[in-house]
Amino acid sequence: MTKPQVVEPKQLNHMLLAVAGDGKTKGYSQYPIRDKALLLVLYGTGMTATELATLPVRAYLTPAGAIKTNSMRAQGSSAAFEFGPGLRPAS
């Protein structure tokens, strides 16, 4: 059975530059903030694209419509992922 491919930090940085650019060069995405957030969530949580696409709105928006800045942990999970102003994974 084939093992799943692992994305290295260097590869993630390359993908982030491709979608959002680096200030000197323009990224290729029409929606760079959204796409950068999607990549970081997928990388930081290990979710599949299908799992991310089926998240309920309450998982990432507050009742007032603001974007949540920290994750909802599954029971027994030790994983955490937070977004700050720079959309970076929590350390």
Side-chain angles (χ1 to χ4, degrees):
M1 182 158 75
T2 307
K3 289 186 178 182
Q5 190 174 17
V6 175
V7 176
E8 299 294 330
K10 182 177 177 181
Q11 294 170 309
L12 176 64
N13 287 334
H14 181 78
M15 289 187 281
L16 293 172
L17 286 172
V19 298
D22 64 1
K24 294 180 250 172
T25 58
K26 188 174 190 258
Y28 294 101
S29 175
Q30 196 170 22
Y31 305 101
I33 294 173
R34 177 204 63 188
D35 294 345
K36 187 174 181 179
L38 289 170
L39 284 171
L40 289 171
V41 168
L42 291 169
Y43 181 78
T45 63
M47 278 193 227
T48 65
T50 300
E51 290 169 327
L52 180 61
T54 58
L55 279 177
V57 172
R58 71 179 180 276
Y60 53 88
L61 291 180
T62 66
I67 298 171
K68 290 184 177 183
T69 57
N70 60 348
S71 66
M72 296 179 0
R73 294 182 187 206
Q75 188 172 3
S77 171
S78 62
F81 195 75
E82 297 181 8
F83 283 115
L87 296 176
R88 296 174 188 254
S91 49

